[in-house]
Amino acid sequence: MVRVVQSFGRVAAATAHVISADEGLSLLKSAQAKPASLLPYGNGRSYGDTCQNTAGAVIDMRGRNRILDFDTRTGLIRAEAGAMLADIIVEAAPHGWFPPVVPGTRYVTLGGAIANDVHGKNHHRRGSFGCHVTALTLLRSDGIVYECAPDRETELFRATLGGMGLTGLIQEATIRLMRVDCADVIEKVQGFSSLDEYFDLAEEADAANEYAVAWIDQLAGGTAAGRGLLLTANHAPDGVFRPAGRARLSVPLQPPLNVLNKLSIRLFNAAYQRAKLRHEGPRRSHYGSYFFPLDGVAGWNRLYGPRGLHQHQSVIPEGAARTVVPALLAAARDAGEASFLTVLKRFGPQRSPAIMSFPRPGFTLTLDFPNRGKKTVQLLEQLDKITIDAGGAVNPYKDVRMSAGVFAASFPGWRILERQRDPAFISDFWRRTAMTLEPAPHGKGAAHDDCRTVTAMRKI
Ligand SMILES: Cc1cc2nc3c(=O)[nH]c(=O)nc-3n(C[C@H](O)[C@H](O)[C@H](O)COP(=O)(O)OP(=O)(O)OC[C@H]3O[C@@H](n4cnc5c(N)ncnc54)[C@H](O)[C@@H]3O)c2cc1C
């Protein structure tokens, strides 16, 4: 069936041939002629075109979503790749287990979380999702199911974590959950009046808490520039598990215009700050509202209007962050662009086994902008340049427009993934970035060549 395959940003709506999970699996296992190219599709919660394949077909994995095995003693859970983190939590939390890494929405599939090696508010303690995958099965276009684990088919395993669906189809995976007394958290809020104040607090906050993240009032300028809130939390010591409910609100229709403009964001920022600071002392929060506040409004991304939104996520090395993060925020303010959600977080030193993992030690800044065409893209390019010049990286699974040069500078090891890529699998993202870069010169070591690419790209 040909239909529009949308990612969360809704900037590039792509039509593609959509194949169900069952059809995809039998197609790959048989000697049948395959479509020109394939790509697994999770739940489309990536913001850009890493989950789109306009020129070929996508395999919608949501039909394969069973939890296959759960050992309540060890916390090992095995599930089909289309299982949502929402369902894994409901299965595991009543037994005192929780996913060690959750992103800002629980509506992501197990396969999508692995393929993007996602991170959460506790990267400083637990690293990224890939650190907790103990096994996965990968079906490739040669019809073979590869049993991968940290010590088995190691290169393929490491390329599949963070491999953006390019190494084949993850059928099922096992992850090790984390012990918690309760899924809910005890949350604390602390206001800060400048970024310097935040940077002074960040390391200590990480050391003392399982979760730590800062919200920034991006529109505040002058002496108020960089003000925000530090939100820290730890799992509650007791309590009964109550599953998160369905969204109470929804945006059923597409407004004709972007509703999240400068005025509404200014009002929201002031109200948010007031509401949060009213509860500065520790308070108990349901896991749904703490980890996944945006899941409470179904279709909230429609508020950005019919042209969609761009998310820009950068990571800046620790030593440069105090000057570079303010420069990124100032660039956005000077361009007159308002970011609805501006989040700053410290990534810890824990390395993922993934070849292509976005998190690395430093500070990560996330900004959301309504798509206002060329003007917004110009700002995003400026943010890319500031990031790469500082030795940082730009997140590919939040992106629909970064240049091949920015991608290569962010991921010098991209050729290792290209070597492990299944020849039948590709995405719109890979086509417009990696596929336009020069292949490694014959006879040169990949590592040497990758360093050359980075040096060249830093000059963009
Ligand atoms: C509100 C919101 C908050 C978010 N917060 C965070 C955050 O805090 N941290 C973070 O890291 N991310 C965050 N994200 C991004 C999101 O977590 C990731 O993009 C996630 O990978 C999406 O999963 P998905 O199941 O929707 O997969 P999709 O977006 O559909 O696909 C993602 C990638 O996985 C591949 N893939 C999917 N299934 C398989 C499979 N079975 N086998 C092989 N490859 C597969 C696809 O080809 C694609 O490359 C957020 C997104 C939203 C909308």
Side-chain angles (χ1 to χ4, degrees):
M1 192 203 324
V2 173
R3 63 177 163 87
V4 173
V5 180
Q6 221 150 25
S7 71
F8 201 73
R10 305 171 75 241
V11 170
T15 48
H17 187 75
V18 180
I19 299 175
S20 72
D22 288 346
E23 284 170 322
L25 289 164
S26 58
L27 181 73
L28 286 167
K29 282 179 185 159
S30 74
Q32 261 174 276
K34 318 262 188 290
S37 62
L38 293 163
L39 185 74
Y41 183 82
N43 198 31
R45 264 21 184 206
S46 298
Y47 281 75
D49 56 357
T50 53
C51 60
Q52 293 178 327
N53 181 23
T54 316
V58 297
I59 305 172
D60 183 344
M61 289 304 287
R62 286 173 292 193
R64 289 276 179 136
N65 58 4
R66 287 173 307 158
I67 291 176
L68 302 168
D69 191 26
F70 175 37
D71 184 337
T72 56
R73 204 175 32 88
T74 60
L76 285 172
I77 191 160
R78 185 167 66 90
E80 290 180 321
M84 299 276 173
L85 289 191
D87 299 327
I88 291 178
I89 292 172
V90 169
E91 178 79 24
H95 300 280
W97 296 99
F98 201 75
V101 174
V102 290
T105 169
R106 62 190 189 279
Y107 298 122
V108 304
T109 63
L110 180 58
I114 294 172
N116 279 340
D117 195 19
V118 298
H119 55 271
K121 297 178 175 71
N122 57 350
H123 184 274
H124 55 280
R125 289 229 175 141
R126 314 277 164 186
S128 53
F129 203 86
C131 300
H132 309 278
V133 179
T134 61
L136 59 88
T137 58
L138 187 74
L139 175 58
R140 286 174 58 100
S141 61
D142 55 13
I144 298 173
V145 176
Y146 293 82
E147 306 271 344
C148 304
D151 57 358
R152 208 161 158 196
E153 299 284 359
T154 309
E155 285 311 301
L156 198 50
F157 177 73
R158 293 185 58 221
T160 300
L161 307 178
M164 299 187 282
L166 300 168
T167 59
L169 191 67
I170 302 168
Q171 285 186 284
E172 57 176 68
T174 305
I175 56 167
R176 188 180 293 283
L177 299 172
M178 127 178 128
R179 257 276 175 234
V180 294
D181 294 316
C182 180
D184 296 345
V185 297
I186 305 294
E187 186 186 359
K188 273 195 233 163
V189 181
Q190 182 177 359
F192 52 84
S193 55
S194 70
L195 284 174
D196 270 338
E197 205 179 320
Y198 163 74
F199 285 117
D200 288 343
L201 295 168
E203 202 168 336
E204 214 175 295
D206 282 359
N209 297 285
E210 175 73 31
Y211 304 104
V213 67
W215 169 86
I216 310 284
D217 183 352
Q218 178 258 340
L219 285 176
T223 53
R227 75 176 170 201
L229 304 170
L230 178 60
L231 312 165
T232 54
N234 293 289
H235 283 278
D238 50 33
V240 176
F241 176 70
R242 291 163 299 132
R246 298 180 80 84
R248 285 210 204 123
L249 301 169
S250 83
V251 184
L253 295 174
Q254 172 65 75
L257 288 170
N258 163 38
V259 176
L260 298 170
N261 53 33
K262 235 185 203 174
L263 176 65
S264 61
I265 293 177
R266 218 181 271 285
L267 291 171
F268 170 84
N269 284 358
Y272 180 77
Q273 210 155 346
R274 259 198 320 274
K276 281 284 182 191
L277 285 172
R278 215 177 294 140
H279 301 282
E280 217 167 337
R283 71 161 173 156
R284 194 180 176 102
S285 296
H286 187 261
Y287 78 91
S289 60
Y290 178 73
F291 293 107
F292 317 116
L294 293 167
D295 289 347
V297 185
W300 66 270
N301 51 345
R302 291 199 182 113
L303 293 174
Y304 284 90
R307 297 173 83 183
L309 78 143
H310 286 281
Q311 185 165 102
H312 190 275
Q313 184 175 15
S314 53
V315 54
I316 307 295
E318 203 135 339
R322 275 187 191 254
T323 51
V324 175
V325 172
L328 291 165
L329 289 167
R333 247 189 344 265
D334 293 349
E337 296 278 346
S339 160
F340 171 50
L341 281 176
T342 307
V343 175
L344 183 57
K345 147 116 211 91
R346 185 170 160 271
F347 282 151
Q350 214 181 119
R351 294 279 182 180
S352 167
I355 289 163
M356 295 277 292
S357 187
F358 171 69
R360 55 206 80 184
F363 285 85
T364 180
L365 177 70
T366 308
L367 297 147
D368 278 350
F369 300 110
N371 175 24
R372 299 204 283 161
K374 205 168 160 195
K375 197 169 174 298
T376 315
V377 171
Q378 272 168 356
L379 167 64
L380 297 168
E381 284 169 358
Q382 195 187 346
L383 300 181
D384 288 350
K385 182 161 175 13
I386 297 172
T387 302
I388 301 301
D389 285 350
V394 181
N395 189 336
Y397 57 88
K398 305 286 182 82
D399 175 81
V400 68
R401 48 85 242 159
M402 77 165 72
S403 70
V406 169
F407 169 64
S410 299
F411 291 90
W414 69 268
R415 286 195 181 88
I416 306 174
L417 175 56
E418 173 57 16
R419 282 195 288 277
Q420 295 286 343
R421 183 168 69 84
D422 187 310
F425 281 59
I426 197 159
S427 62
D428 288 352
F429 176 86
W430 202 251
R431 237 182 239 113
R432 79 181 161 78
T433 57
M435 289 295 94
T436 67
L437 293 164
E438 276 176 43
H442 194 66
K444 284 250 187 330
H448 169 78
D449 178 64
D450 289 340
C451 293
R452 275 188 339 139
T453 311
V454 181
T455 319
M457 296 311 166
R458 290 256 150 79
K459 293 184 186 140
I460 55 168

